[in-house]
Amino acid sequence: MKPGPFASPAGRRPAGDYLPYLLPLVVALAVRVLAWWILPYRGQISDEAEYLAAATWLANGRGFSFYKAWIWTRPPLYLLFLAAHIRLFGPGNLLPIRISQTAISVVTVALAMAWGARLAERGHERRVALTTGWAMALCYGFATYAFLLLSETLFVVLLLLGLLLLTLWAQTESGSGGRRRKAGLLAAGGVALGLGALTRALLAGALPLVAAWVWWQAARTDGQRTASESGTHRWAFRRGIAQTTLLTAAVCAVILPWTFWNSRFYGGNGLILIDTTGGYNALLGAQAAHQELEPAPECGASKSRCEKELYRLLKAVPDQAKRQSKAYRLAVEWIAANPGGFVRKTVREMVDLVTINYGGAERLSSGYTQGIIPIPHLLALLADDTLYLLAAPLAIAGLVRRQGRPGKGLALMWLSYNLVTGPLFFAINRFRVPLLPVLFIYGACALAQWRERWTSTARQAMGLAGAGALLLFLLPSFGYWGSLNGGLPASDGPDSSILLNTYLGIRARIVSWDCTRAEAALTRNDLAAAQHYIDRGSARRVAGNNGLDCFALLQARIDAARGESGKALALLQSMNPIPERFLLEGEIYQRLGQRDRALGAFVRRDLEEANPTTWAWNNLHPPPTTRVDLGSGFDWGYVDAFYGREGRAEDPGNFRWTAPRSRLRFVGAGTGAPQTLRMRVSGGHRDAVDPAPQLTVISADASGCSRADTIDISPVWRTIDIPICPTAAGHDVIVELRSTTFLAGPGELAQRQQVHEQLRLLGVQVDWAELHG
């Protein structure tokens, strides 16, 4: 069997040997680019807003000061990666970041293939490398993280690079010229792992274990040679210490400069090695035990976690180093007060870490039972879960198998470290991502060695029993068609299988196509056709529910169009409190002349927090006007891509901020002649490092007129006039507003994240806008 290009460090290989390894890389690139169109991404999730905000401040010249006002600090490397892109391409342009992350993700596939070839049994390098490469290339999770603004993609490439370099070090002979090469590989591996720790500090806890492996590997390898020459292992022990010292020096050369600066910048007299998220996570992990004894009043006894309590406790400590110390101290106290509760929580977290879970913000599956998730995404998630279901048990067998190559200890160390530390804190789907390359490699080893004899009966029994037990453990969450009682395998309570959830999502999506057809019919004002699709779709129940939300919303629109306002309102008010419901209620009340009730619907908290201006723009039919009072509560349908109202709607002085690109619509206000747009605007307060406030007003018409006027905006309120292109008489006048943007700061983002709102890149403030001429 051909060993392939990754098998030996010596000699040149023909170019044709590399061609089979290029195909997984090409497919990996295609899958990651295709994911851009498949993913149902509707705004920042998880830590994306925080990363983007901190990187924006860094790109604007404020350094890492964002975290002086945040609840924790973060490692610097991913922030620097984002800040470099923001500095070059602007904060609103995420495409370059995703291009870079896609390229890094493809490199990760190559590194996994190379590492797999080095860990495989001799003679199986090619098969293991290719199997690993195809698994990495087709893994939808890696494609997803290449798109998201999260640190996983950068972290995994640095982690694999470091582990590969250390494996090459262990497998390189110390002959003529070999020692210098080994020293270079070891130092380079330390640098890569140090950079990985500066991307995700979780790796820092594993570095002492890596150093122990290096000492053991060096002492054992050199000890065998020294024993045969002199009969003593004394020199081998010293040799192990020297190698460990070199690795430690390389790691410290990367991490300690940041530690020194970091501790002085954030911590006063305290020590912050890399970041302070570990203290917060430790406290969050211990909180389940605390909640059993003293439930936090912010959340009550029903919640095992209460981040509002943690935020209150830690925010009261102004110094980041002291805040970190208090978090660890409280975590120890809470665990000591209820060790049984902490053990129960840890077992639940272990189950969540290992088992297959359908939820998780990073999977972008929210709303699958409402038919809003595309079928390709649902199938890709199913393929991802199937890949994990197959790879994890096979990896158990592959790890028990003997490959006879140095490096398995690193893989086992990394797996064991995560399986121990993850449940101690908390477990989410993201925590499995850095483990997948190891599972794919040793799953590939199991397949490559499938027909070979086991080296011992004990290994065979252990490998087959472990693989079978894990497969049986994973199967219920994957294939059991129904609810799983007792909180297993998902610790948050009853859960459905992956297959059932996929079926429900696909069925709901197919049923929702009647919503799309009904909406198109409504656009044509064909009420009979719209009603036909509504009736047909609503009759197809999904998981026992009486249809999808979209059917109720469309039925209410049909009833209102028929003049049956009471029936429409009754239907809307029987629905769940989704934002779109309140927009339609407000529109109906407004048509009925019930202005107070309309205002009550338009300023509902559920609606204002979601701020669905684009949905209102596309679906509401507000009355004709030449003036829009932004922030009044009656601006829905007239504005698009503006941020939420500032101030109380019923008080004077309310307004909205523009986003990088926003739109205004004046319904039926066209006159056929040129008009003037008058607006009361302000740039708001900005720091000197922020871009100066500018507003570009863009208008166009069908006759070829096109205008783009840029105006400097004062930090105080003033009225501006801008000429715009003529619009045909009776038609809607639409203008686009493009603004320079800035980030208000960590305090504003922290408040918005408490209500699950998005990061805001603020443009200019607009109080009102009107047309003249």
Side-chain angles (χ1 to χ4, degrees), residues 206-218 244 247:
L207 292 179
L209 300 177
V210 174
W213 177 85
V214 167
W215 174 85
W216 172 79
Q217 187 66 40
T244 305
L247 174 74

Side-chain angles (χ1 to χ4, degrees), residues 507-520:
R507 184 165 185 248
R509 183 66 172 177
I510 293 173
V511 172
S512 73
W513 291 342
D514 274 338
C515 284
T516 304
R517 298 182 182 102
E519 190 166 8

Side-chain angles (χ1 to χ4, degrees), residues 538-559:
S538 298
R540 303 170 67 183
R541 293 170 176 257
V542 178
N545 296 327
N546 294 323
L548 308 178
D549 286 342
C550 62
F551 288 124
L553 292 173
L554 289 167
Q555 184 64 62
R557 290 173 60 184
I558 293 173
D559 293 340

Side-chain angles (χ1 to χ4, degrees), residues 612-634:
T613 59
T614 299
W615 192 93
W617 179 279
N618 293 330
N619 293 278
L620 296 188
H621 300 87
T625 187
T626 58
R627 178 183 172 89
V628 179
D629 186 358
L630 285 83
S632 65
F634 288 96

Side-chain angles (χ1 to χ4, degrees), residues 126-177:
R126 179 187 178 90
R127 185 179 301 175
V128 170
L130 289 175
T131 303
T132 301
W134 281 110
M136 292 286 294
L138 297 174
C139 181
Y140 190 58
F142 285 112
T144 300
Y145 284 101
F147 180 88
L148 301 177
L149 303 183
L150 298 171
S151 62
E152 271 69 16
T153 298
L154 183 60
F155 173 71
V156 172
V157 75
L158 292 170
L159 172 70
L160 288 182
L161 177 60
L163 296 178
L164 172 61
L165 289 169
L166 293 184
T167 301
L168 290 172
W169 163 81
Q171 295 181 7
T172 300
E173 297 293 336
S174 300
S176 176

Side-chain angles (χ1 to χ4, degrees), residues 17 31 37 72 175 178 188 232 271 280 325 327 368 388 392 401 535 538 575 599-600 634 664 719 732:
D17 284 358
V31 169
W37 284 270
W72 53 60
T232 176
L271 175 68
Y280 182 88
S325 298
Y368 72 97
Y388 173 70
R401 279 276 199 181
D535 293 340
S538 298
M575 293 178 60
L599 179 62
F634 288 96
L664 280 171
T719 301
D732 296 348

Side-chain angles (χ1 to χ4, degrees), residues 497-670:
S497 74
I498 302 302
L499 286 178
L500 178 58
N501 284 332
T502 304
Y503 165 74
L504 293 176
I506 292 174
R507 184 165 185 248
R509 183 66 172 177
I510 293 173
V511 172
S512 73
W513 291 342
D514 274 338
C515 284
T516 304
R517 298 182 182 102
E519 190 166 8
L522 269 178
T523 303
R524 303 190 304 268
N525 201 30
D526 188 347
L527 299 185
Q531 188 66 64
H532 165 72
Y533 292 124
I534 295 293
D535 293 340
R536 186 175 72 177
S538 298
R540 303 170 67 183
R541 293 170 176 257
V542 178
N545 296 327
N546 294 323
L548 308 178
D549 286 342
C550 62
F551 288 124
L553 292 173
L554 289 167
Q555 184 64 62
R557 290 173 60 184
I558 293 173
D559 293 340
R562 290 171 172 167
E564 300 174 345
S565 299
K567 184 178 178 181
L569 288 170
L571 176 59
L572 291 171
Q573 291 164 4
S574 68
M575 293 178 60
N576 293 322
I578 61 175
E580 295 81 2
R581 160 198 158 176
F582 300 113
L583 287 173
L584 291 180
E585 281 186 43
E587 182 178 57
I588 293 172
Y589 282 130
Q590 190 175 24
R591 289 177 181 174
L592 295 174
Q594 300 179 25
R595 189 174 178 82
D596 290 341
R597 287 189 172 183
L599 179 62
F602 281 144
V603 299
R604 283 291 298 262
R605 181 176 180 180
D606 307 86
L607 173 59
E608 297 248 320
E609 290 177 357
N611 191 42
T613 59
T614 299
W615 192 93
W617 179 279
N618 293 330
N619 293 278
L620 296 188
H621 300 87
T625 187
T626 58
R627 178 183 172 89
V628 179
D629 186 358
L630 285 83
S632 65
F634 288 96
D635 55 359
W636 297 105
Y638 299 112
V639 299
D640 181 31
F642 279 81
Y643 292 116
R645 170 175 52 83
E646 304 281 346
R648 282 164 39 96
E650 53 269 39
D651 296 337
N654 49 60
F655 62 90
R656 285 182 183 264
W657 284 96
T658 64
R661 292 188 176 188
S662 304
R663 290 189 295 176
L664 280 171
R665 174 165 58 192
F666 300 89
V667 177

